[in-house]
Amino acid sequence: MRERAPKILRGPVPRNKEDDQVVYIDGDSAPRILFSGEDLLLEDLPIGTRVLYPKPPIEGLANPGAAIRYALNHPLDTEPLYAQLAPGMRVTIAVDDISLPLPPMVTPDIRQTVIEILLELLDANGVDDVHIIVANSLHRRMTAPEMKRMVGAKIYDAFYPDRFYNHDAEDPDGIVHLGKTDHNEPVNINRRAVESDLLIYVNINLVPMDGGHKSVALGLCDYESLRPHHEPETIRASDSYMDPKRSALNTKVERQGALIDRHMNVFHIETAINNRIYAGATAFLSKNEDEFTEFDRLKCEAMRWTLSKMPRAAKRKLFHSIPAQYQMVAVYAGKTDPVHERILKHNWDQYGLHVRGQADVLICPVPFISPYNVNSILNPLLVQVMGLGYFHNFYRGKPLLKKGGVMILTHPCYDDFDHNHHPSYIEFFNRLLPETRDAMKLRHKYEEEFAKNPSYIEMYRRGNAYHGAHPFFMWYWGENGRQHVGKVIVAGAENAHVPKILGWDRADSLPEAIAMAKSAVGPSPEITMMHHPPIVMADME
Amino acid sequence: MGAAAFYDLDGTLVRTNLVHAFAFSARNQQGILKSIVKTAATLVSVPMFMAADFYNRRLFNDLFFVRYRGESEDRLRCLAEELFDTVLRPSIFPGAYELIDKSRQLGLRQVLVTGALDITVGPLAKHLKIDDYVTNRLEFVDGYATGRLLPPVMAAATKASWMRIYAEKENLNLSDCYAYSDSMSDLPMLSVVGHPTAVNPDIRLRGTAQQHDWPILDLR
């Protein structure tokens, strides 16, 4: 009699769970909720699928005001702020723009809390030459209501528009050349910031690629200063953006930052927040679906039904009007590097999941928002940024997806652009991408034409448009993902031409996309889904 | 091959239009009574001009330029400098200087393509450092305006035709050229270049620009 061979469990049968937030789908598992733009999908995932859930929110600081004051009085590697102030000084406060945090947080925004304390301190020390600059780099200018929401009515009324304004990277008189790094990278920075006796940068570090030297070197610079690192080669060499030590992008920015620190007196205030996007009626969106109560299920169904009856513009408006319930979990002040190092630890404590083993197929639901479309449309180029730029880079150690694996995105991929915010994206998408998707070719052949297009420059300076070069940066942003991922399939794409222009495949539904993925990577793939938002990142073994 | 930036003038780079220029000449007639009568007649005609322009730029031209009949060429030329100083220069949109400046930095030839009169455009073009311009020209007989325009009349499709011929003559690649206008009547002019932009557009041009995914710029 032949001895029966031991049963081989195919597929991703566990195993020791790497982390409490890692869930494996079995026969009894509930369907999972996936964002698909402004809609919510409810899908049964194949048995064995690994789902990475965000960690529960770290408890926020009980008294953020006291924590901020403590940080200002006990800064790292520098004198307390009050000791650096003197009457008659010229001080500039720079703040992150509307791309941080995402979605915009419930008021009072952390920036408001910090600036209120700063202004009290400055006033008490006789400093009255104070400007507040939004460090928007080549992002769109924030509108007046957005700026008011960010800092509160009191500060807004006192400072806007003469002493509270957006950075202008195209103002020929507003930019100063500080010099070049030893690698010949130019550093051109906002004149007011450079000519101030003290620059105080107030940051909200949403993810580990934010903050540090990036705040001033990128937020207050011009196009020429961005070019050395916002380019395909640097992006390819970044493994990943979220792991600064292994990010070529970060290395170059640090060089620029070091030069800035030699010329300017910069006092950094960095804050970390938890991942409490949802609370109250929408809290179910960050829960494990297996743990839903009846009421959660009811709310989920009600929300899905309501969304299915609403026009897309109304759904978009609805989602953009729900602020995130973020709370500050840490604040440090002082010199750039020690401050940032501590904040990064808090970021990873909140987002990082211990994950073992790469996946053959990675499912990434794409929500309605990215850093570049607050109060606007997630256009096709931004869907690309979310998938290949951000989600692919949400790792430390090695990518969550195997080299050549399949990434499945859930998004309608509508051919819809905001004419006021993204005019250059439209030309980029419709004129350039059909010609080539080669980032190198795009950079060398077309980037400068767009960057210097007088219409785009004027729309950036006078309107609320992203800079003409920005769609290129968005395309480069997906470059390391594009080099790594074998195939991208968009599940639920409502048209064929958008995925085709992006170089992707489309499927009507998630099950169809998974079937297509199996034909590419084999019949029993290791499938992993990132259950976001809120953000979850893989800290790979 | 080179490239150029073609600009419409009225409403695009300056706040004023043809009627403002005419009103200035009406206000500065020889004799107070004549000035009052001509100014009043101009004011009364404004709604008609607006309606005609909304309907068709050619109809507007036919109705409008006839008002110049009998004006002396010398006098119009005499008034041109003053018109520029008192009316046109203060009406230049703040963003216009910068737009032209950035455009020139790109090495583009700066060209005005306007339905305004040559007499009024000259000083403005000089002030904005425009390389070339084409305008409408009044017909004068024995030094007095007949109220007709000399062909080609710069409006709608004629502007586009002129640009094509100009590009050929000057060895310009229209695909690399830029065009800026505020009015739906300039759709042909915007359509012949590779980089059209609607500037301070009226509602019809705004809609068209959005449909064609053209940039929309506000220089005001």
Side-chain angles (χ1 to χ4, degrees), chain A residues 3 15 91 120 236:
Chain A
E3 205 173 308
R15 9 311 183 147
V91 172
E120 275 174 27
R236 285 180 189 177

Side-chain angles (χ1 to χ4, degrees), chain B residues 31-53:
Chain B
I32 289 178
L33 192 62
K34 210 171 165 188
S35 291
I36 291 172
V37 170
K38 206 133 190 176
T39 303
T42 309
L43 283 174
V44 168
S45 306
V46 166
M48 182 184 71
F49 292 149
M50 285 172 70
D53 190 37

Side-chain angles (χ1 to χ4, degrees), chain A residues 175-180 185-189 191 194 225 259 263:
Chain A
I175 299 287
V176 175
H177 178 63
L178 279 188
K180 287 186 173 179
E185 295 134 347
V187 181
N188 306 324
I189 299 293
R191 177 179 293 280
V194 172
S225 310
L259 191 144
H263 287 82

